[in-house]
Amino acid sequence: MLPRCAISVCHVFVLVLCLSSAEDFDWTKNDHGSFYYGTFPAGFSWGAGGSAYQTEGAWDKDGKGLSIWDVFSHKKGRIQQNDTGDSSCEGYHKIKDDVGLMKELKLNHYRFSISWPRLIPTGIKSDHINEKGIQYYNELIDHLLENKITPIVTLYHWDLPQFLQERYGGWQNISMVNHFNEFANLCFERFGNRIKYWMTFNNPWSVAVEGYETGEHAPGLRLRGTGAYKAAHHIIKAHAKVWHTYDTQWRAKQKGLVGISLSGDWGEPVDITNQKDIEAAERYVQFYLGWFATPIFHGDYPQVMKDFIGRKSVQQGLGTSRLPSFSPQEKSYIKGTCDFLGVGHFTTRYITQKNHPSARSSSSYFTDRDLAELVDPRWPDPGSEWLYSVPWGFRRLLNFVKSQYGNPMIYVTENGVSEKMLCTELCDDWRIQYFKDYTNEMLKAIKDGVNVKGYTAWSLLDKFEWDEGYSERFGLYYVDFRNKNKPRYPKASVQFYKRIISSNGFPNQREVENWRRKAVETCSTSNQLLAADPLTSHMEMVTEIVVPTVCTLSILLSAVFLMFLLRRRN
Ligand code: NOJ
């Protein structure tokens, strides 16, 4: 999520801030610390998610083409421990097992993404369609539906076909708009009779900033100050085109919805009485979620982005802004292309005004914002270094979406917390706490009038965590990556999340505390199973390596002995 340079800024500037600064929040009378007992609206959809490259494995199976993540992760030094998604959770071979886990949780929906190069190996539809890839997603979709789990599908969760990157420069090139539209159209044609919730892109902020600005993600380009804006511009156009394709060609028949999943941290002013901090915090959110949401809901980039990037570009002696612009026709084509908004949210930052020099050499998305990010050292941070648990920020972000974009229908597409790899602990009390508090803030937001229809816990399984490899675990289910069968074990949070789902909320304090106690009690049994697992892997090694080796050696020795005997006879 956040690049490391920003994180180190955060650490340097860590402030001990009084949490009470958030108490003036005026969307509700409840202060952010209190827990709200109550239920979600009837029909609220509870789910969990994952994405193709993070879980499927089978990177070169059954005719799949290469994606930019296959190539990126195979380069040494790009990913923690040089991990790759080559086999990951082996989800490609485990449809039934994984749907079984979803049933265990009694999920209403499952969010997954379709790998573009698995369906179209080069990314160009007229080249070749890989029917085996189609077959895999057909099986997954059918199996979900047979088990009454609604599939929610993302078309692009970062795995661009490598060929399109090499041939055209990927999202730097406008031709991606048509290629992506053809891929989406193929998905509507083949799967649209059964899929009613589509999302064009997942977290385009990351694609643009981490893929084309900082280079921490595939394709690893560092086009500072321009790359991210250009990529985002093409992504927004591609999103709009796909929405129109669905609207004109498929909607009447298939009756589905097309949205986009945007990520956004919440930004809270350090000093809520300081106008400069208030504006800086607003800028932080506008440069994050607003960058994509404002064109899609209102037809153009946030005014503050146009102003800041435009002014800096002039100071840098550039003839035009580094932020591209939309023509009037494009604006009206893009505006309103969202049937529902997917919101991915994990964490919050305190924000203060900070001027950055405008020198051309140091221009970047980050310096364009003229702000500094801070964290409260008392915020829990059990896993990823960027992920502090700040539940009240979630409610604020949801209310921001409501007020800025005309109260759209929202599906929370990602929310969750990680733990470090070294910690093989199934008793994930901190995840229980995170889910409990974040879903409770979502409930408060719904009471505020925010139109949230569903929630997706991130993620169903531990999985490949991009540049962090397998070092961060977000799963409700623990995956033993050391074992080639990739067995899954439930963490305590499975039991807890299951209770939230079956009660559709939080009935009363006594019960919720009981859930938690029981969840933590049962996980110790699973912990023992996991502890026994090295034995299983060891036995596997014995059967797969030691036994064949011993047999071969015995045969060889017998042959040598026989020859020796024969010679002696002669
Ligand atoms: C957002 C990304 O969409 C998802 O793939 C990732 O697992 C989470 N961030 C956690 O880093």
Side-chain angles (χ1 to χ4, degrees), residues 80-96:
Q80 286 274 335
Q81 314 282 335
N82 290 320
D83 286 338
T84 72
D86 290 2
S87 59
S88 189
C89 308
E90 294 286 14
Y92 187 73
H93 303 291
K94 286 179 178 284
I95 293 181
K96 291 214 164 118

Side-chain angles (χ1 to χ4, degrees), residues 1 51 54 157-158 202-203 263 346 386 414 458 463 465-466 472 474:
M1 295 277 295
S51 80
Q54 290 182 281
H157 202 123
W158 307 356
N202 172 70
N203 191 354
S263 288
F346 293 88
W386 53 268
E414 287 184 19
W458 195 260
K463 58 192 174 344
E465 208 36 67
W466 309 113
E472 291 175 5
F474 276 83

Side-chain angles (χ1 to χ4, degrees), residues 492-508:
S493 49
V494 165
Q495 297 309 321
F496 190 81
Y497 188 40
K498 203 171 145 179
R499 300 282 177 209
I500 301 183
I501 297 175
S502 62
S503 308
N504 196 28
F506 308 96
N508 58 59

Side-chain angles (χ1 to χ4, degrees), residues 137-327:
Y137 292 109
N138 271 334
E139 277 169 29
L140 174 59
I141 294 166
D142 289 344
H143 206 61
L144 286 168
L145 292 173
E146 278 157 25
N147 288 284
K148 303 200 167 36
I149 299 167
T150 305
I152 298 191
V153 173
T154 311
L155 291 165
Y156 188 85
H157 202 123
W158 307 356
D159 42 0
L160 185 79
Q162 173 66 14
F163 181 78
L164 294 180
Q165 187 63 45
E166 279 171 20
R167 166 77 64 95
Y168 302 106
W171 291 107
Q172 290 302 292
N173 194 300
I174 186 71
S175 66
M176 289 310 99
V177 175
N178 283 338
H179 294 307
F180 181 64
N181 185 53
E182 297 236 303
F183 161 61
N185 206 15
L186 174 70
C187 293
F188 297 150
E189 181 194 327
R190 299 299 189 91
F191 310 126
N193 57 343
R194 288 155 294 157
I195 302 296
K196 302 301 158 201
Y197 296 90
W198 294 100
M199 275 171 296
T200 52
F201 288 89
N202 172 70
N203 191 354
W205 183 93
S206 260
V207 177
V209 174
E210 294 173 304
Y212 294 89
E213 170 101 17
T214 67
E216 287 161 297
H217 282 186
L221 298 177
R222 299 194 178 107
L223 309 168
R224 291 196 194 271
T226 56
Y229 298 133
K230 205 168 181 184
H233 202 65
H234 296 147
I235 287 173
I236 293 165
K237 287 185 179 183
H239 160 81
K241 177 138 195 172
V242 167
W243 185 90
H244 281 285
T245 296
Y246 191 80
D247 200 47
T248 52
Q249 297 181 37
W250 303 101
R251 190 190 294 282
K253 196 156 150 228
Q254 299 184 346
K255 304 197 166 45
L257 301 173
V258 178
I260 186 167
S261 171
L262 302 180
S263 288
D265 294 354
W266 177 245
E268 183 74 7
V270 164
D271 176 359
I272 53 162
T273 62
N274 178 338
Q275 189 55 28
K276 287 220 152 49
D277 281 1
I278 294 173
E279 283 167 17
E282 159 94 18
R283 237 176 9 256
Y284 177 78
V285 182
Q286 294 293 2
F287 266 74
Y288 212 137
L289 186 114
W291 181 6
F292 300 90
T294 318
I296 288 169
F297 287 98
H298 300 308
D300 201 359
Y301 290 118
Q303 191 58 42
V304 74
M305 286 186 80
K306 294 199 284 186
D307 291 348
F308 271 62
I309 305 163
R311 181 171 43 80
K312 292 205 177 216
S313 303
V314 171
Q315 287 164 359
Q316 288 156 359
L318 299 169
T320 52
S321 174
R322 285 182 281 103
L323 181 71
S325 56
F326 296 115
S327 70

